[in-house]
Amino acid sequence: MTPSQEYEPLDVDSLGARLAGVEILSRKVGPDASAWRVREVGDGNLNLVFIVEGPVGTAVVKQALPYVRLVGDSWPLPLYRAFYEYHALTRQAARDPGSVPEVYHFDEAQALIVMEFLSPHVILRRKMIAGERVEGLAERIGTFCARTAFRGSELSMESGAKKADVGLFSGNVEIPAITESLVFTDPYFDAELNSHTPGLEPVIARLREDAALKARVQRMLMSFASNTETLLHGDLHSGSIMATATEARVIDPEFVQYGPMGFDIGMLIANYLMAFFSQPAHRGDDPAAYQGWILETIEGTVASFEAEFARLWTTERTGMLFPACLFEDQGHSSEPAMKALLRDIWSDAVAICGIEMHRRCLSLAHNADFQEIEDTALRARLEARNLMMGRELILRTETVPDARALTAMAREFNER
Ligand code: SR1
Ligand code: MG
């Protein structure tokens, strides 16, 4: 396949012939494309994902579709998003080596990325629904969030390079627009693509009649849309992490954009909290003990984020912001400035967390943690706890000064 060929979606029958000329696939999978076994396994909302197996090894081929897969061709979506995903993966790999799958090949015209097959990894959300622990999860992902946040900002980058990169990613307009509506706007009015579990109507009415809540969410949207602090993953939930019992890797950064440093970690914590609230309805061995592990994971993730951020502050603060010539060189400690910044990041993360907890129950694209609960009365009860805690996080962010306060609040809402 040459890059100049017109875009055409792959399928399991055509993939071998069409990608036979991709040299790295011959090396990673096997030289004879007719011997490749191809499966389409995409279970996300947007793309085709193929696993290609051969006598030498296995690789993944991810291809963008020109529409939202979850909805169909009534919702067109530009293929150029694959370009931004590719550039996000290369930046994440450089900023936190080993955290993301290795990219083998990118074809812009076909909107496809050939990458490392992670095995025996499975999607973290599936593991959490099944009540399975992942050793080292908190440290791995907290560190990822800190390294990508710090190293993607002017704390580390030279000012011109950062501005140029903001310019590059600003071409990605349709993908942030999805988040702007599905996450920040649709949950708070009767949007066309919304759905919810029957029985939640009184809770939804309470959220939508709260002008202070909606105003606070819109302030967060303003920050998300216009604050270019760092390069975000942009969709860091438990479906964007693949894990074994002892290892975790981050995948799927196609929602990459510049945004506030607290966004990724806030979205991640929200998804851990939804695993927490939904766990009693699933078949884990000991749901209460597993819920305890989830809360420990949240606290550990934030602790790892802050520890790594502080380490980078001391060892890698080479960018335009908070330069040593204003602090250490003059005998001043920059630590209070770092602590104040971490407080602001946490405050954004708490509010984003509450908003994500709302959108996954009210807007399009619900998560399996709740959706797979067949007893809708039970699902509504558990979702209501999640929605009401989300409200508290958005409206009373300042009453949640740290991760311990957040997990204590989760325990309290879990009893309601
Ligand atoms: C139409 S896309 C819906 C959701 O799927 C992605 O994973 C993002 O979370 C997006 O909001
Ligand atoms: Mg995704």
Side-chain angles (χ1 to χ4, degrees):
M1 181 186 290
T2 61
S4 58
Q5 272 181 299
E6 202 179 320
Y7 170 84
E8 205 186 323
L10 294 160
D11 59 44
V12 288
D13 298 321
S14 67
L15 186 144
R18 288 185 58 200
L19 299 191
V22 176
E23 202 261 323
I24 186 97
L25 266 177
S26 309
R27 277 196 283 124
K28 295 285 181 185
V29 179
D32 177 7
S34 67
W36 296 351
R37 286 180 306 283
V38 182
R39 282 177 291 144
E40 205 279 313
V41 296
D43 63 352
N45 297 327
L46 301 181
N47 305 295
L48 296 169
V49 181
F50 300 92
I51 294 178
V52 187
E53 291 175 276
V56 177
T58 308
V60 166
V61 175
K62 179 173 178 181
Q63 187 180 36
L65 285 164
Y67 54 84
V68 175
R69 184 175 184 169
L70 175 69
V71 176
D73 54 14
S74 62
W75 187 346
L77 201 59
L79 296 170
Y80 65 56
R81 65 188 190 273
F83 169 88
Y84 296 105
E85 177 166 8
Y86 164 69
H87 283 289
L89 281 166
T90 59
R91 280 156 183 70
Q92 290 167 346
R95 290 169 187 162
D96 189 10
S99 63
V100 298
E102 186 186 343
V103 172
Y104 297 150
H105 173 76
F106 172 57
D107 181 335
E108 188 171 352
Q110 297 301 324
L112 71 81
I113 303 171
V114 182
M115 65 185 109
E116 180 184 0
F117 173 61
L118 301 176
S119 177
H121 301 64
V122 296
I123 291 289
L124 177 63
R125 196 184 299 285
R126 300 280 11 135
K127 286 182 101 59
M128 295 187 94
I129 289 170
E132 293 169 16
R133 297 173 196 225
V134 178
E135 203 181 298
L137 176 67
E139 192 187 354
R140 180 77 287 274
I141 307 299
T143 302
F144 170 84
C145 290
R147 290 182 179 166
T148 53
F150 191 97
R151 292 176 170 156
S153 78
E154 288 100 337
L155 287 168
S156 162
M157 290 174 79
E158 189 266 313
S159 173
K162 161 80 191 300
K163 265 72 180 167
D165 214 47
V166 172
L168 177 80
F169 281 91
S170 69
N172 192 15
V173 291
E174 295 290 341
I175 287 280
I178 291 178
T179 306
E180 288 158 12
S181 53
L182 291 191
V183 176
F184 288 94
T185 312
D186 291 3
Y188 305 101
F189 80 108
D190 190 15
E192 198 187 334
L193 295 171
N194 284 355
S195 68
H196 65 261
T197 305
L200 281 177
E201 294 77 11
V203 181
I204 297 170
R206 194 158 163 204
L207 300 180
R208 291 190 185 154
E209 72 198 12
D210 190 335
L213 177 85
K214 291 183 283 190
R216 173 86 174 113
V217 174
Q218 288 301 296
R219 287 300 294 266
M220 292 312 298
L221 169 56
M222 190 169 160
S223 168
F224 175 76
S226 56
N227 168 343
T228 60
E229 269 172 8
T230 196
L231 189 70
L232 306 176
H233 176 286
D235 199 25
L236 190 58
H237 50 73
S238 50
S240 297
I241 295 171
M242 293 191 74
T244 66
T246 55
E247 203 215 32
R249 307 275 284 274
V250 177
I251 62 165
D252 212 11
E254 73 197 308
F255 279 71
V256 59
Q257 70 165 84
Y258 275 89
M261 286 184 176
F263 184 84
D264 283 343
I265 196 158
M267 178 177 275
L268 179 69
I269 293 171
N271 281 269
Y272 288 166
L273 286 172
M274 288 183 272
F276 169 84
F277 283 118
S278 60
Q279 185 56 215
H282 297 303
R283 287 189 302 276
D285 292 340
D286 184 348
Y290 192 70
Q291 282 183 307
W293 179 79
I294 295 173
L295 297 186
E296 279 167 29
T297 300
I298 292 172
E299 290 175 18
T301 303
V302 176
S304 295
F305 175 85
E306 293 184 350
E308 180 64 3
F309 198 93
R311 188 186 74 78
L312 295 171
W313 181 278
T314 312
T315 58
E316 284 188 21
R317 214 172 71 248
T318 53
M320 166 190 77
L321 290 169
F322 303 92
C325 64
L326 298 185
F327 293 92
E328 288 80 3
D329 296 356
Q330 297 184 30
H332 304 304
S333 170
S334 63
E335 199 179 320
M338 180 199 74
K339 288 193 166 158
L341 175 56
L342 281 174
R343 277 196 297 278
D344 287 347
I345 294 172
W346 173 250
S347 161
D348 282 353
V350 169
I352 293 296
C353 178
I355 296 165
E356 171 75 1
M357 289 162 85
H358 286 171
R359 77 94 171 208
R360 288 287 184 188
C361 295
L362 304 180
S363 172
L364 182 75
H366 290 212
N367 56 13
D369 312 56
F370 286 125
Q371 279 313 103
E372 290 183 3
I373 302 171
E374 282 170 16
D375 175 346
T376 52
L378 173 61
R379 191 202 306 160
R381 212 160 56 241
L382 300 178
E383 285 183 326
R385 293 174 180 172
N386 172 68
L387 290 170
M388 293 311 286
M389 176 167 169
R391 173 180 178 272
E392 201 72 7
L393 294 178
I394 297 164
L395 281 175
R396 273 173 274 288
T397 307
E398 69 291 346
T399 66
V400 189
D402 52 32
R404 291 291 292 270
L406 183 133
T407 57
M409 186 187 277
R411 279 196 191 86
E412 195 190 302
F413 275 87
N414 191 49
E415 298 301 321
R416 291 189 178 189

